[in-house]
Amino acid sequence: MTQVKNDLGRDAVILHTRRFRKGGVLGFFAKELVEIMAAVDTPAPVSTPVPISTSAQPPAPVTKVPVTNMKCSGEEDAKMTAMQMEITNMRKMIEQVITKLPQKESRKSFWCDLLIKNDIAPEIAENLTYNLPDETSLVGSNPAIVKQLLAERISNHLQRVEGIALPETGCKTVAFIGPTGVGKTTTIAKVAANFAINQGYKVALITADTYRISAVEQLKTYADIIGLPVDVVYTPDDLKAALFRHRDKNLVLLDTAGRSPRNQYQLAELQALLAVDPNIETHLVLGMSTKYAEALEIVNKFSVCLPQKFLFTKVDEACNLGTLVSLLYQFPATLSYITTGQNVPEDIELANPVKLANLILRD
Ligand SMILES: Nc1nc2c(ncn2[C@@H]2O[C@H](COP(=O)(O)OP(=O)(O)OP(=O)(O)O)[C@@H](O)[C@H]2O)c(=O)[nH]1
Ligand SMILES: [Mg+2]
């Protein structure tokens, strides 16, 4: 508006604006340009036109119009002024109506909105859709191609995926930590069954959850079915001793009690337990339906326990995967498994970035 007023004066009005991109490859690196059509309705000029001389010829004499012909009567003057006022008012009304009309939804904001509807944080949704080709370009006018481009961008942010990788020799200990009821114990049973029964590794279970009466029984029931030993530990020293006892195993899975991210005492206790061995690989277990703000608090508070991987449970119950995308966008942690139901051991799989990205963009 400032530029328009500088060029055309303060009565100028914007009639039309259009944003478009120029240059770039497949919509990337294109420059955004804005085209503005503006006008000003000044009264007919009354000053003598200044002839522009393009040659050395002297300017042609200006025709003199008798002054009486240019003058309007007082009544005509009043009519003219009233008409001008009416036109000015009408113009203002039209401008107001136009600014209130809903803008035609562009494809870009459609994709951004879709991500936000999936609970992806708005600033992350905007970053992910930044400079995505819009319908003014050849690529952008094909929604299937734009969807594919966006799916690739999302999956690129989920690329850090690694399950439990066992070393050639020695024993690996993996601890599962997280808030209450997210599915830690059930997931341990699934992982244990897959490594012990499907892959033939020597696996042992340890539980440090002595807070809930049935917690030990729950893990023992799974261990009995799979045929694995279970140790119950109450203190960091107990854990040290149990890990030593199981040093001949390939994999030791450590179950912990669900903790509230707001209880610093509980978190400090968990931190002290895991500190007995710096080689313990810690997976932070999060329910997929957790809201992003809540998940951020969980991740921040549990960070004292130095989790290296995120594991998402209850994907089958979740309406969207926004929290997963937002967290992976924010934190350098690796994604391990996702769980997709209550069935042990079936409902668990290694996170697949392409599959997850397509799930987010599903119709
Ligand atoms: N729908 C669904 N339910 C699940 C999944 N994983 C676990 N559950 C259920 O979630 C409930 C809690 O599971 P637990 O394994 O006891 O959770 P926890 O994190 O160990 O709970 P605490 O030890 O109390 O903190 C159980 O009813 C499980 O069957 C999943 O992937 N999908
Ligand atoms: Mg449990």
Side-chain angles (χ1 to χ4, degrees):
M1 204 57 209
T2 310
Q3 209 176 321
V4 165
K5 286 193 172 172
N6 282 344
D7 286 353
L8 299 176
R10 62 187 192 85
D11 285 335
V13 288
I14 291 178
L15 301 176
H16 168 78
T17 64
R18 181 170 81 95
R19 284 171 190 276
F20 62 100
R21 288 183 176 71
K22 209 172 175 187
V25 181
L26 291 179
F28 293 100
F29 314 116
K31 235 183 173 177
E32 189 175 67
L33 299 176
V34 182
E35 179 185 86
I36 295 174
M37 190 188 288
V40 58
D41 72 342
T42 48
V46 287
S47 59
T48 312
V50 179
I52 298 167
S53 168
T54 52
S55 68
Q57 299 281 320
V62 175
T63 320
K64 295 240 167 98
V65 180
V67 172
T68 46
N69 283 356
M70 287 191 68
K71 276 207 169 158
C72 301
S73 69
E75 199 184 323
E76 278 172 340
D77 244 358
K79 271 189 190 166
M80 188 71 90
T81 313
M83 243 166 71
Q84 273 182 350
M85 276 173 67
E86 214 164 306
I87 290 171
T88 310
N89 286 340
M90 274 169 65
R91 193 184 63 195
K92 281 186 181 151
M93 269 169 55
I94 291 169
E95 273 173 24
Q96 280 170 3
V97 171
I98 287 173
T99 51
K100 280 181 190 154
L101 279 178
Q103 298 293 309
K104 186 175 162 271
E105 196 180 304
S106 81
R107 222 47 207 173
K108 181 189 162 190
S109 80
F110 166 82
W111 296 113
C112 191
D113 286 350
L114 182 75
L115 298 187
I116 293 169
K117 268 185 215 144
N118 263 279
D119 247 8
I120 293 178
E123 64 279 11
I124 296 172
E126 268 168 36
N127 279 346
L128 283 168
T129 51
Y130 179 72
N131 250 348
L132 207 59
D134 67 12
E135 66 268 32
T136 58
S137 72
L138 191 65
V139 174
S141 54
N142 186 333
I145 298 179
V146 182
K147 190 174 177 178
Q148 183 58 32
L149 277 172
L150 185 55
E152 277 169 26
R153 283 192 195 180
I154 295 170
S155 70
N156 282 342
H157 282 289
L158 309 178
Q159 281 307 325
R160 298 181 307 275
V161 172
E162 195 194 25
I164 296 171
L166 297 187
E168 293 281 312
T169 56
C171 174
K172 177 157 199 165
T173 305
V174 181
F176 290 71
I177 64 169
T180 54
V182 286
K184 298 177 292 299
T185 308
T186 313
T187 305
I188 284 184
K190 292 173 183 174
V191 172
N194 276 299
F195 275 94
I197 301 172
N198 299 350
Q199 299 180 52
Y201 286 108
K202 284 190 279 180
V203 179
L205 306 181
I206 298 177
T207 180
D209 187 359
T210 51
Y211 294 84
R212 209 160 43 84
I213 294 170
S214 55
V216 174
E217 283 315 308
Q218 187 189 1
L219 195 66
K220 274 191 172 158
T221 307
Y222 285 125
D224 286 347
I225 297 168
I226 307 165
L228 303 176
V230 190
D231 277 25
V232 183
V233 298
Y234 293 85
T235 64
D237 282 345
D238 288 351
L239 176 60
K240 214 183 250 179
L243 289 178
F244 186 73
R245 266 197 307 281
H246 291 300
R247 63 191 181 284
D248 63 320
K249 306 289 186 304
N250 302 109
L251 176 63
V252 174
L253 297 166
L254 172 62
D255 194 11
T256 62
R259 291 306 187 207
S260 158
R262 305 223 167 138
N263 189 325
Q264 288 190 351
Y265 172 76
Q266 288 185 347
L267 289 175
E269 212 179 30
L270 187 58
Q271 183 187 9
L273 184 79
L274 297 172
V276 301
D277 182 353
N279 294 320
I280 295 176
E281 180 176 291
T282 305
H283 292 223
L284 178 58
V285 183
L286 295 150
M288 188 65 103
S289 302
T290 314
K291 290 276 163 218
Y292 180 49
E294 202 187 323
L296 267 183
E297 188 186 8
I298 294 169
V299 173
N300 284 326
K301 295 288 167 59
F302 276 86
S303 65
V304 294
C305 300
L306 308 174
Q308 293 105 330
K309 296 183 179 174
F310 291 151
L311 190 155
F312 283 86
T313 56
K314 310 192 185 186
V315 175
D316 54 307
E317 284 180 354
C319 304
N320 58 63
L321 313 181
T323 298
L324 180 151
V325 176
S326 300
L327 279 186
L328 266 285
Y329 201 94
Q330 294 278 94
F331 294 95
T334 300
L335 196 55
S336 63
Y337 301 97
I338 59 162
T339 73
T340 53
Q342 293 179 291
N343 299 313
V344 178
E346 300 92 332
D347 295 338
I348 186 165
E349 54 189 81
L350 188 66
N352 179 330
V354 175
K355 202 167 154 186
L356 288 170
N358 286 325
L359 262 179
I360 289 162
L361 298 177
R362 70 191 180 277
D363 295 320

mmCIF file of all heavy atoms in Angstrom, residues 75-98:
data_model
loop_
_atom_site.group_PDB
_atom_site.id
_atom_site.type_symbol
_atom_site.label_atom_id
_atom_site.label_comp_id
_atom_site.label_asym_id
_atom_site.label_seq_id
_atom_site.Cartn_x
_atom_site.Cartn_y
_atom_site.Cartn_z
ATOM 1 N N GLU A 75 -25.378 25.089 -10.086
ATOM 2 C CA GLU A 75 -26.219 23.900 -9.889
ATOM 3 C C GLU A 75 -25.507 22.646 -10.401
ATOM 4 O O GLU A 75 -25.461 21.612 -9.736
ATOM 5 C CB GLU A 75 -27.519 24.103 -10.661
ATOM 6 C CG GLU A 75 -28.640 23.211 -10.195
ATOM 7 C CD GLU A 75 -29.874 23.411 -11.083
ATOM 8 O OE1 GLU A 75 -30.125 24.558 -11.501
ATOM 9 O OE2 GLU A 75 -30.529 22.412 -11.368
ATOM 10 N N GLU A 76 -24.877 22.782 -11.583
ATOM 11 C CA GLU A 76 -24.146 21.643 -12.161
ATOM 12 C C GLU A 76 -22.973 21.261 -11.282
ATOM 13 O O GLU A 76 -22.674 20.082 -11.092
ATOM 14 C CB GLU A 76 -23.646 21.998 -13.562
ATOM 15 C CG GLU A 76 -24.707 21.832 -14.619
ATOM 16 C CD GLU A 76 -24.255 22.360 -15.969
ATOM 17 O OE1 GLU A 76 -23.306 23.175 -15.985
ATOM 18 O OE2 GLU A 76 -24.847 21.964 -16.978
ATOM 19 N N ASP A 77 -22.312 22.290 -10.741
ATOM 20 C CA ASP A 77 -21.191 22.062 -9.818
ATOM 21 C C ASP A 77 -21.616 21.186 -8.641
ATOM 22 O O ASP A 77 -20.954 20.209 -8.278
ATOM 23 C CB ASP A 77 -20.728 23.413 -9.256
ATOM 24 C CG ASP A 77 -19.320 23.714 -9.694
ATOM 25 O OD1 ASP A 77 -18.752 22.840 -10.376
ATOM 26 O OD2 ASP A 77 -18.813 24.800 -9.349
ATOM 27 N N ALA A 78 -22.746 21.538 -8.065
ATOM 28 C CA ALA A 78 -23.247 20.823 -6.888
ATOM 29 C C ALA A 78 -23.562 19.375 -7.252
ATOM 30 O O ALA A 78 -23.246 18.439 -6.525
ATOM 31 C CB ALA A 78 -24.490 21.519 -6.352
ATOM 32 N N LYS A 79 -24.190 19.184 -8.487
ATOM 33 C CA LYS A 79 -24.542 17.825 -8.944
ATOM 34 C C LYS A 79 -23.280 16.987 -9.102
ATOM 35 O O LYS A 79 -23.215 15.824 -8.710
ATOM 36 C CB LYS A 79 -25.276 17.907 -10.285
ATOM 37 C CG LYS A 79 -26.769 18.047 -10.160
ATOM 38 C CD LYS A 79 -27.370 17.899 -11.546
ATOM 39 C CE LYS A 79 -28.839 18.274 -11.558
ATOM 40 N NZ LYS A 79 -29.300 18.454 -12.933
ATOM 41 N N MET A 80 -22.259 17.629 -9.707
ATOM 42 C CA MET A 80 -20.990 16.932 -9.963
ATOM 43 C C MET A 80 -20.344 16.489 -8.648
ATOM 44 O O MET A 80 -19.899 15.358 -8.502
ATOM 45 C CB MET A 80 -20.052 17.882 -10.722
ATOM 46 C CG MET A 80 -18.796 17.231 -11.217
ATOM 47 S SD MET A 80 -19.136 16.102 -12.560
ATOM 48 C CE MET A 80 -18.986 17.201 -13.934
ATOM 49 N N THR A 81 -20.347 17.408 -7.669
ATOM 50 C CA THR A 81 -19.738 17.096 -6.377
ATOM 51 C C THR A 81 -20.488 15.945 -5.708
ATOM 52 O O THR A 81 -19.882 15.008 -5.181
ATOM 53 C CB THR A 81 -19.757 18.343 -5.458
ATOM 54 O OG1 THR A 81 -19.300 19.446 -6.210
ATOM 55 C CG2 THR A 81 -18.898 18.146 -4.234
ATOM 56 N N ALA A 82 -21.838 15.994 -5.791
ATOM 57 C CA ALA A 82 -22.645 14.942 -5.163
ATOM 58 C C ALA A 82 -22.352 13.597 -5.811
ATOM 59 O O ALA A 82 -22.215 12.568 -5.149
ATOM 60 C CB ALA A 82 -24.129 15.284 -5.297
ATOM 61 N N MET A 83 -22.218 13.618 -7.174
ATOM 62 C CA MET A 83 -21.941 12.377 -7.896
ATOM 63 C C MET A 83 -20.582 11.798 -7.512
ATOM 64 O O MET A 83 -20.425 10.603 -7.290
ATOM 65 C CB MET A 83 -21.961 12.647 -9.404
ATOM 66 C CG MET A 83 -23.060 11.877 -10.108
ATOM 67 S SD MET A 83 -23.302 12.496 -11.751
ATOM 68 C CE MET A 83 -21.850 11.935 -12.583
ATOM 69 N N GLN A 84 -19.607 12.709 -7.400
ATOM 70 C CA GLN A 84 -18.253 12.264 -7.027
ATOM 71 C C GLN A 84 -18.260 11.637 -5.640
ATOM 72 O O GLN A 84 -17.618 10.617 -5.397
ATOM 73 C CB GLN A 84 -17.290 13.439 -7.059
ATOM 74 C CG GLN A 84 -16.713 13.631 -8.449
ATOM 75 C CD GLN A 84 -15.720 14.764 -8.502
ATOM 76 O OE1 GLN A 84 -15.590 15.522 -7.540
ATOM 77 N NE2 GLN A 84 -15.040 14.892 -9.605
ATOM 78 N N MET A 85 -19.011 12.285 -4.723
ATOM 79 C CA MET A 85 -19.078 11.734 -3.359
ATOM 80 C C MET A 85 -19.698 10.352 -3.366
ATOM 81 O O MET A 85 -19.265 9.442 -2.682
ATOM 82 C CB MET A 85 -19.866 12.671 -2.449
ATOM 83 C CG MET A 85 -18.983 13.796 -1.890
ATOM 84 S SD MET A 85 -19.948 14.999 -0.999
ATOM 85 C CE MET A 85 -20.485 14.024 0.375
ATOM 86 N N GLU A 86 -20.768 10.239 -4.196
ATOM 87 C CA GLU A 86 -21.452 8.951 -4.281
ATOM 88 C C GLU A 86 -20.503 7.861 -4.813
ATOM 89 O O GLU A 86 -20.448 6.754 -4.295
ATOM 90 C CB GLU A 86 -22.646 9.081 -5.207
ATOM 91 C CG GLU A 86 -23.805 8.204 -4.755
ATOM 92 C CD GLU A 86 -25.096 8.643 -5.436
ATOM 93 O OE1 GLU A 86 -25.433 9.832 -5.340
ATOM 94 O OE2 GLU A 86 -25.692 7.780 -6.058
ATOM 95 N N ILE A 87 -19.751 8.241 -5.849
ATOM 96 C CA ILE A 87 -18.803 7.272 -6.431
ATOM 97 C C ILE A 87 -17.752 6.877 -5.399
ATOM 98 O O ILE A 87 -17.430 5.694 -5.228
ATOM 99 C CB ILE A 87 -18.130 7.859 -7.696
ATOM 100 C CG1 ILE A 87 -19.174 7.950 -8.825
ATOM 101 C CG2 ILE A 87 -16.943 7.007 -8.144
ATOM 102 C CD1 ILE A 87 -18.699 8.706 -10.042
ATOM 103 N N THR A 88 -17.259 7.884 -4.647
ATOM 104 C CA THR A 88 -16.236 7.585 -3.628
ATOM 105 C C THR A 88 -16.802 6.636 -2.583
ATOM 106 O O THR A 88 -16.166 5.658 -2.187
ATOM 107 C CB THR A 88 -15.762 8.901 -2.958
ATOM 108 O OG1 THR A 88 -15.432 9.802 -3.985
ATOM 109 C CG2 THR A 88 -14.586 8.660 -2.046
ATOM 110 N N ASN A 89 -18.039 6.902 -2.148
ATOM 111 C CA ASN A 89 -18.655 6.019 -1.137
ATOM 112 C C ASN A 89 -18.836 4.609 -1.667
ATOM 113 O O ASN A 89 -18.568 3.633 -0.980
ATOM 114 C CB ASN A 89 -20.021 6.569 -0.699
ATOM 115 C CG ASN A 89 -19.834 7.780 0.195
ATOM 116 O OD1 ASN A 89 -18.757 7.959 0.763
ATOM 117 N ND2 ASN A 89 -20.858 8.612 0.297
ATOM 118 N N MET A 90 -19.297 4.531 -2.934
ATOM 119 C CA MET A 90 -19.502 3.205 -3.525
ATOM 120 C C MET A 90 -18.184 2.439 -3.602
ATOM 121 O O MET A 90 -18.107 1.245 -3.306
ATOM 122 C CB MET A 90 -20.094 3.331 -4.935
ATOM 123 C CG MET A 90 -21.610 3.437 -4.912
ATOM 124 S SD MET A 90 -22.253 3.903 -6.503
ATOM 125 C CE MET A 90 -21.812 2.491 -7.477
ATOM 126 N N ARG A 91 -17.125 3.170 -3.979
ATOM 127 C CA ARG A 91 -15.811 2.532 -4.097
ATOM 128 C C ARG A 91 -15.367 1.965 -2.739
ATOM 129 O O ARG A 91 -14.915 0.842 -2.633
ATOM 130 C CB ARG A 91 -14.792 3.550 -4.599
ATOM 131 C CG ARG A 91 -13.498 2.916 -5.032
ATOM 132 C CD ARG A 91 -12.506 3.954 -5.432
ATOM 133 N NE ARG A 91 -12.172 4.801 -4.301
ATOM 134 C CZ ARG A 91 -11.548 5.967 -4.402
ATOM 135 N NH1 ARG A 91 -11.245 6.440 -5.572
ATOM 136 N NH2 ARG A 91 -11.254 6.667 -3.332
ATOM 137 N N LYS A 92 -15.597 2.775 -1.693
ATOM 138 C CA LYS A 92 -15.204 2.307 -0.355
ATOM 139 C C LYS A 92 -15.981 1.064 0.052
ATOM 140 O O LYS A 92 -15.444 0.133 0.609
ATOM 141 C CB LYS A 92 -15.412 3.428 0.667
ATOM 142 C CG LYS A 92 -14.287 4.449 0.608
ATOM 143 C CD LYS A 92 -14.408 5.468 1.703
ATOM 144 C CE LYS A 92 -13.283 6.481 1.581
ATOM 145 N NZ LYS A 92 -13.659 7.791 2.092
ATOM 146 N N MET A 93 -17.305 1.106 -0.277
ATOM 147 C CA MET A 93 -18.137 -0.058 0.075
ATOM 148 C C MET A 93 -17.641 -1.311 -0.638
ATOM 149 O O MET A 93 -17.520 -2.379 -0.043
ATOM 150 C CB MET A 93 -19.602 0.200 -0.305
ATOM 151 C CG MET A 93 -20.393 0.831 0.827
ATOM 152 S SD MET A 93 -21.986 1.410 0.248
ATOM 153 C CE MET A 93 -22.670 -0.043 -0.466
ATOM 154 N N ILE A 94 -17.345 -1.173 -1.932
ATOM 155 C CA ILE A 94 -16.876 -2.328 -2.709
ATOM 156 C C ILE A 94 -15.569 -2.857 -2.133
ATOM 157 O O ILE A 94 -15.386 -4.068 -1.968
ATOM 158 C CB ILE A 94 -16.723 -1.963 -4.207
ATOM 159 C CG1 ILE A 94 -18.116 -1.729 -4.804
ATOM 160 C CG2 ILE A 94 -15.997 -3.051 -4.978
ATOM 161 C CD1 ILE A 94 -18.110 -1.125 -6.185
ATOM 162 N N GLU A 95 -14.689 -1.923 -1.773
ATOM 163 C CA GLU A 95 -13.404 -2.349 -1.182
ATOM 164 C C GLU A 95 -13.622 -3.156 0.088
ATOM 165 O O GLU A 95 -13.004 -4.187 0.314
ATOM 166 C CB GLU A 95 -12.553 -1.123 -0.848
ATOM 167 C CG GLU A 95 -11.715 -0.641 -2.009
ATOM 168 C CD GLU A 95 -11.023 0.667 -1.662
ATOM 169 O OE1 GLU A 95 -10.828 0.941 -0.462
ATOM 170 O OE2 GLU A 95 -10.700 1.383 -2.601
ATOM 171 N N GLN A 96 -14.549 -2.643 0.937
ATOM 172 C CA GLN A 96 -14.825 -3.352 2.197
ATOM 173 C C GLN A 96 -15.360 -4.748 1.936
ATOM 174 O O GLN A 96 -14.950 -5.711 2.564
ATOM 175 C CB GLN A 96 -15.822 -2.562 3.035
ATOM 176 C CG GLN A 96 -15.160 -1.418 3.783
ATOM 177 C CD GLN A 96 -16.188 -0.495 4.414
ATOM 178 O OE1 GLN A 96 -17.385 -0.744 4.338
ATOM 179 N NE2 GLN A 96 -15.701 0.566 5.019
ATOM 180 N N VAL A 97 -16.301 -4.842 0.975
ATOM 181 C CA VAL A 97 -16.892 -6.156 0.661
ATOM 182 C C VAL A 97 -15.806 -7.103 0.158
ATOM 183 O O VAL A 97 -15.707 -8.249 0.587
ATOM 184 C CB VAL A 97 -18.025 -6.007 -0.386
ATOM 185 C CG1 VAL A 97 -18.473 -7.375 -0.876
ATOM 186 C CG2 VAL A 97 -19.196 -5.265 0.226
ATOM 187 N N ILE A 98 -14.934 -6.592 -0.733
ATOM 188 C CA ILE A 98 -13.889 -7.462 -1.304
ATOM 189 C C ILE A 98 -12.951 -7.976 -0.211
ATOM 190 O O ILE A 98 -12.626 -9.163 -0.159
ATOM 191 C CB ILE A 98 -13.096 -6.715 -2.395
ATOM 192 C CG1 ILE A 98 -13.979 -6.573 -3.639
ATOM 193 C CG2 ILE A 98 -11.812 -7.446 -2.756
ATOM 194 C CD1 ILE A 98 -13.391 -5.728 -4.736
#
